[in-house]
Amino acid sequence: MAALEEGFTLSAVPLGAGPNGLLGVEQSDKTDQFLVTDGGRTVILYKVSDQKPLGSWSVKQGQIITCPAVCNFQTGEFIVVHDNKVLRIWNNEDVNLDKVFKATLSAEIYRIHSIQGTEPLVLFKEGAVRGLEALLAEPQQKIETVISDDEVIKWTKVFMVFRHPVLIFITEKHGNYFAYVQTFSSRTLSKYALLLGQEEKSVIQNFTASVDRKFISLMSLSADGCIYEALIPIHTSGPEKNQTVVRSLVLRTVVSGNARSGVALAVLDHDHIAVLGPPLPSSKECLSIWNTKFQTLQTSKELPQGTSGQLWYYGENLFILHGKFLTVIPYKCEVSSLAGALGKLKHSQDPGTHTAPHFVNWETSRGYGFGSQNLEQSKRILRRRKIEVSVQPPASKQLLSMIKKDSEKHIEVELCKFLAIKRTPDFHTVIGDIVFELLERHKAEPPFYPRNSLVQLIQTHVLSYSLCPGLMEVALEKTDVQMLQLCLQQFPDIPESITCACLKVFLSISDDSLRETEINMESVSDYSDSVQEEKMDEQTGILQNGFNLDERNCDNCDRKLNQKPQAAAEETASCPVTPKRAALLNAILHSAYSEMFLLPHLKDIPAQHVTLFLQYLYFLYLKCNENATMTLPGLHPPTLNQIMDWICLLLDANFTVVVMIPEAKRLLLSLYKFVKSQICICSELNKIEVSFRELQKLNQEKNNRELYSIEVLELF
């Protein structure tokens, strides 16, 4: 099963207005940062999680960037090509590209490839490939011609196979297509002619590829709207001439045959492929995910503003140019199974996203079309589907039938037996079906609430929110905080609205109810004895990272806070919540979220609960400051970054409300003093930064000195 999540705009400024449109999106040396190259003069470094640019660089007026900027993973530097032959290399601290390293080459560059584990590779328009270091050593070296006259490179990609790079590029000449495979381990270049299948008589519009140990799976999207695949061997037995590979049909008519632009595709995993383009029933452009194993459309999302026909993917994010703005659309692809392909599994859906049981002809590899199936063929296909569905283990089928009628205790016993059986490849889909059946019976019979069985299923570590979205909703209705804590710890894809709903329950549930509830306390240690009141009584201010503010530098708010040291000591000497409530709140701190989607839901939390959560977070911050490692005791405690992030989130969402509450006044003053102390620390560090730089220079010159010397260093 696959799903497209709600997308967000990464670029706040229009892109793709240059003569070459948007040239590319490439990953930086940090997982969450990407280089976006506009077809005009600009390269922008974006951080996806923060949805903001970190840097921007432009070439001079009159110069044009001609291939996407990449990151050299070995050095952390950025590389771009302008005017086809000029290399520019810079780092994040450089501001002006005109003043960075420059190298002018003797031939025009088609593309620079850079991946983890090897140096950047430069592919020239004439088909030759060079390593970056060899080019920089002799920029004007002669570049040989590999491809023939009138042969033009259309697409290229690089892979790592057995720790060695393998580069493939596709060329076109007079309507014929050729694949070149450059293996750097054996330093061989192989050429293959791509033979068109009998069904295909149209021009190829887009390529994508994946690799295994022996073959490159080259997929192509043709102008007839069909996807074809060719298996190209990575290593050949000998230098054969006139090698050919035949392309076979994989998916029939995934986009409209009338589409002449705005189409692209990308292989997401072994069984899923993303397609960008208008489908047959609609004239609007769509982004869709297809299951190539079962030939079904899994999900699609309409793009009303149109696209440029370009598609990039990294990790679990798809990048497209929607209208004039770069948009990021997260996606999920689970292990392919027949149940998921047929739409049997229940998944959460975003508005505007369709998960469709849209079936393609299962006999496409034999040349049958949608309208050419006779009755006998339909029966044969239906028989095959029935056989594949019946592959489900008998034990799971028996358990699913028991869930509909047996008692909670009997179901729990049978579930224990089932979980003891050796797991099958479709184990996660079977578990999802079991949870779904349990929740369906609960909806039909509200007194039926198989809590113990659901807890066992969560502890299998194969469930996710998208696989069983109704589970946490039922737990919220029942105020089952133990199950909510387990889900927060196990599920990686919980929506921000559900996370906030859990937070409301954790803050509002009474202490009496928590005493009777079994909670996982691994993230909480005993805070009661760790704060010594003698130490708190002696200090007249709160120490922040070992730095104590001078009262002369504090304003009236600070003096008011310092006038009551005993009250401050009482406030910080004990945890403001019980240990069990602290364990639940820690589960919230560990959960994944997007700030943009979480902030609106935080505004709905009552002010007194916001104050209580802030008090707990501030208490955790003070606990972190008690040791040099800035960490909390316990097996899985919250980190300092998580604590600070949540303090900022709560204040951003609720400051105008909290500032009006008298009970929160002292807390806000303490937070104010904390921020001011951090500013003072940064100011002092900036003052000695220059001195440290001078010391570093002196340290680099040590090799030029004798064995014994007397040095006098003056620090100003």
Side-chain angles (χ1 to χ4, degrees):
M1 196 68 183
L4 291 169
E5 300 180 1
E6 189 66 27
F8 55 89
T9 300
L10 183 62
S11 168
V13 296
L15 296 174
N20 299 321
L22 187 63
L23 288 183
V25 178
E26 296 286 336
Q27 190 160 11
S28 177
D29 55 345
K30 296 179 176 59
T31 307
D32 197 30
Q33 297 180 12
F34 295 87
L35 286 167
V36 178
T37 308
D38 202 4
R41 302 168 44 221
T42 308
V43 178
I44 307 173
L45 179 65
Y46 283 100
K47 186 173 182 180
V48 171
S49 60
D50 292 345
Q51 300 175 29
K52 67 178 183 181
L54 301 179
S56 177
W57 301 270
S58 298
V59 296
K60 290 194 305 183
Q61 187 73 29
Q63 298 175 341
I64 298 178
I65 297 176
T66 49
C67 76
V70 299
C71 176
N72 185 341
F73 291 99
Q74 294 182 337
T75 64
E77 296 173 318
F78 304 137
I79 311 165
V80 75
V81 177
H82 65 82
D83 302 316
N84 294 310
K85 292 184 178 182
V86 183
L87 277 176
R88 294 282 185 176
I89 302 177
W90 77 101
N91 57 42
N92 209 4
E93 298 177 356
D94 293 317
V95 177
N96 191 347
L97 282 186
D98 194 41
K99 297 181 180 180
V100 302
F101 178 84
K102 172 184 175 182
T104 303
L105 307 182
S106 61
E108 293 187 351
I109 297 172
Y110 178 80
R111 182 69 184 270
I112 299 179
H113 287 293
S114 183
I115 56 175
Q116 294 278 4
T118 186
E119 68 169 321
L121 302 173
V122 181
L123 173 63
F124 291 88
K125 290 186 177 181
E126 296 175 340
V129 182
R130 292 286 191 277
L132 180 65
E133 294 301 324
L135 275 178
L136 297 181
E138 190 180 352
Q140 287 297 312
Q141 62 183 273
K142 184 179 180 181
I143 304 300
E144 71 275 12
T145 299
V146 174
I147 60 179
S148 61
D149 295 337
D150 300 328
E151 200 171 351
V152 181
I153 298 178
K154 292 294 186 180
W155 176 87
T156 177
K157 191 169 184 177
V158 68
F159 306 96
M160 288 295 289
V161 181
F162 295 116
R163 300 184 181 180
H164 293 284
V166 174
L167 187 144
I168 179 175
F169 62 92
I170 307 299
T171 64
E172 184 267 338
K173 180 179 179 180
H174 305 313
N176 298 314
Y177 293 87
F178 304 92
Y180 292 80
V181 178
Q182 175 81 59
T183 55
F184 292 85
S185 58
S186 57
R187 299 187 179 278
T188 58
L189 177 66
S190 304
K191 179 181 178 180
Y192 301 88
L194 300 179
L195 298 184
L196 307 182
Q198 294 181 355
E199 301 98 337
E200 184 189 8
K201 302 296 181 184
S202 55
V203 179
I204 300 176
Q205 291 190 325
N206 209 285
F207 292 93
T208 187
S210 60
V211 67
D212 59 18
R213 294 175 179 268
K214 295 182 179 180
F215 294 95
I216 296 174
S217 172
L218 177 68
M219 291 192 178
S220 56
L221 176 61
S222 297
D224 60 358
C226 301
I227 295 178
Y228 299 83
E229 180 185 32
L231 293 179
I232 302 174
I234 297 175
H235 303 286
T236 57
S237 57
E240 301 178 9
K241 295 183 179 181
N242 302 322
Q243 300 181 92
T244 60
V245 289
V246 180
R247 294 188 297 165
S248 59
L249 186 61
V250 176
L251 291 172
R252 183 183 294 277
T253 323
V254 296
V255 295
S256 173
N258 297 324
R260 290 292 178 262
S261 61
V263 294
L265 75 164
V267 174
L268 304 180
D269 61 22
H270 184 68
D271 296 323
H272 296 92
I273 188 168
V275 179
L276 181 64
L280 273 177
S282 172
S283 60
K284 292 184 179 180
E285 294 187 34
C286 288
L287 176 63
S288 56
I289 297 180
W290 290 75
N291 187 311
T292 56
K293 181 178 181 180
F294 297 106
Q295 302 185 13
T296 56
L297 173 63
Q298 297 290 279
T299 182
S300 66
K301 182 186 290 286
E302 286 190 354
L303 304 170
Q305 298 179 27
T307 70
S308 61
Q310 296 167 292
L311 176 64
W312 301 270
Y313 78 99
Y314 296 94
E316 294 186 343
N317 290 317
L318 293 167
F319 296 79
I320 61 171
L321 196 62
H322 188 199
K324 295 183 179 180
F325 300 95
L326 184 62
T327 301
V328 181
I329 302 179
Y331 71 92
K332 298 286 185 183
C333 287
E334 298 176 358
V335 179
S336 181
S337 64
L338 183 60
L342 298 178
K344 182 178 178 181
L345 298 180
K346 304 298 180 180
H347 288 257
S348 61
Q349 295 300 316
D350 292 328
T353 302
H354 327 289
T355 296
H358 179 97
F359 302 104
V360 183
N361 181 11
W362 291 66
E363 296 290 331
T364 50
S365 60
R366 300 186 181 182
Y368 299 118
F370 279 111
S372 63
Q373 295 181 359
N374 56 32
L375 182 61
E376 191 61 33
Q377 292 166 351
S378 299
K379 289 180 179 179
R380 186 164 60 250
I381 295 171
L382 185 59
R383 253 195 323 269
R384 183 187 307 164
R385 291 180 184 172
K386 288 181 179 179
I387 293 172
E388 294 195 22
V389 172
S390 66
V391 172
Q392 195 176 32
S396 63
K397 294 175 66 177
Q398 184 179 2
L399 180 60
L400 290 173
S401 63
M402 289 180 179
I403 290 173
K404 297 178 180 179
K405 57 182 184 299
D406 287 5
S407 65
E408 292 182 22
K409 188 65 178 177
H410 188 220
I411 293 172
E412 183 180 347
V413 172
E414 293 300 321
L415 179 61
C416 289
K417 295 178 181 178
F418 172 74
L419 295 178
I421 301 173
K422 184 179 179 181
R423 296 189 178 186
T424 57
D426 61 342
F427 180 74
H428 74 290
T429 61
V430 175
I431 295 298
D433 289 341
I434 294 173
V435 173
F436 176 73
E437 290 296 335
L438 289 171
L439 296 179
E440 284 296 304
R441 183 175 174 186
H442 168 71
K443 291 178 183 178
E445 306 174 26
F448 176 81
Y449 182 54
R451 184 179 180 282
N452 293 336
S453 297
L454 291 172
V455 169
Q456 286 187 71
L457 293 169
I458 295 172
Q459 291 174 340
T460 59
H461 304 287
V462 299
L463 288 176
S464 62
Y465 179 86
S466 57
L467 196 61
C468 50
L471 178 57
M472 293 191 72
E473 295 175 5
V474 171
L476 286 168
E477 292 175 4
K478 296 285 186 179
T479 319
D480 192 339
V481 292
Q482 182 192 10
M483 188 175 296
L484 291 174
Q485 183 194 32
L486 280 173
C487 292
L488 287 168
Q489 292 171 344
Q490 301 292 338
F491 295 174
D493 57 346
I494 300 175
E496 286 77 1
S497 58
I498 300 297
T499 301
C500 202
C502 294
L503 177 58
K504 291 180 184 178
V505 171
F506 294 166
L507 290 170
S508 61
I509 189 171
S510 65
D511 291 337
D512 293 336
S513 299
L514 285 178
R515 287 193 200 97
E516 302 171 358
T517 306
E518 183 180 351
I519 301 294
N520 186 341
M521 303 294 291
E522 286 184 351
S523 64
V524 178
S525 63
D526 187 7
Y527 295 144
S528 60
D529 299 328
S530 57
V531 180
Q532 300 179 1
E533 292 197 10
E534 296 83 9
K535 179 179 176 181
M536 297 297 296
D537 289 336
E538 288 173 3
Q539 67 182 44
T540 59
I542 299 176
L543 288 174
Q544 304 290 349
N545 294 335
F547 181 79
N548 193 9
L549 282 175
D550 190 344
E551 286 191 11
R552 291 174 296 179
N553 297 329
C554 300
D555 57 14
N556 294 332
C557 294
D558 298 317
R559 293 192 190 97
K560 290 179 182 179
L561 187 62
N562 290 333
Q563 286 172 3
K564 299 180 180 180
Q566 183 62 35
E570 292 175 358
E571 181 182 346
T572 56
S574 60
C575 182
V577 298
T578 61
K580 287 191 174 182
R581 194 185 304 274
L584 297 175
L585 295 177
N586 288 351
I588 295 289
L589 298 181
H590 283 298
S591 62
Y593 63 87
S594 171
E595 181 178 340
M596 181 178 68
F597 300 122
L598 183 63
L599 279 174
H601 299 289
L602 290 177
K603 295 179 181 179
D604 298 333
I605 301 177
Q608 62 271 24
H609 292 161
V610 173
T611 304
L612 178 62
F613 196 19
L614 279 172
Q615 288 172 345
Y616 175 64
L617 291 171
Y618 184 60
F619 169 79
L620 291 181
Y621 168 77
L622 294 179
K623 296 296 298 177
C624 286
N625 279 339
E626 289 183 358
N627 55 70
T629 60
M630 300 292 289
T631 56
L632 292 170
L635 291 178
H636 302 290
T639 64
L640 182 62
N641 286 339
Q642 290 171 339
I643 296 167
M644 299 308 302
D645 287 345
W646 273 92
I647 290 177
C648 295
L649 284 169
L650 289 172
L651 290 177
D652 286 346
N654 300 280
F655 182 77
T656 55
V657 177
V658 175
V659 76
M660 304 298 294
I661 303 176
E663 300 83 22
K665 182 178 181 181
R666 180 163 298 279
L667 173 63
L668 293 177
L669 290 174
S670 300
L671 292 172
Y672 165 77
K673 186 170 184 180
F674 152 69
V675 173
K676 189 169 184 178
S677 69
Q678 299 300 307
I679 295 174
C680 291
I681 292 171
C682 292
S683 176
E684 294 299 321
L685 290 175
N686 288 334
K687 291 178 182 178
I688 64 173
E689 182 181 6
V690 177
S691 300
F692 278 123
R693 287 181 180 175
E694 293 299 323
L695 288 174
Q696 188 177 12
K697 291 180 182 179
L698 292 172
N699 187 46
Q700 293 174 352
E701 298 173 1
K702 276 188 176 182
N703 295 332
N704 300 328
R705 298 175 183 172
E706 301 296 335
L707 294 177
Y708 176 77
S709 64
I710 298 176
E711 301 176 16
V712 178
L713 304 177
E714 296 183 4
L715 301 179
F716 299 95

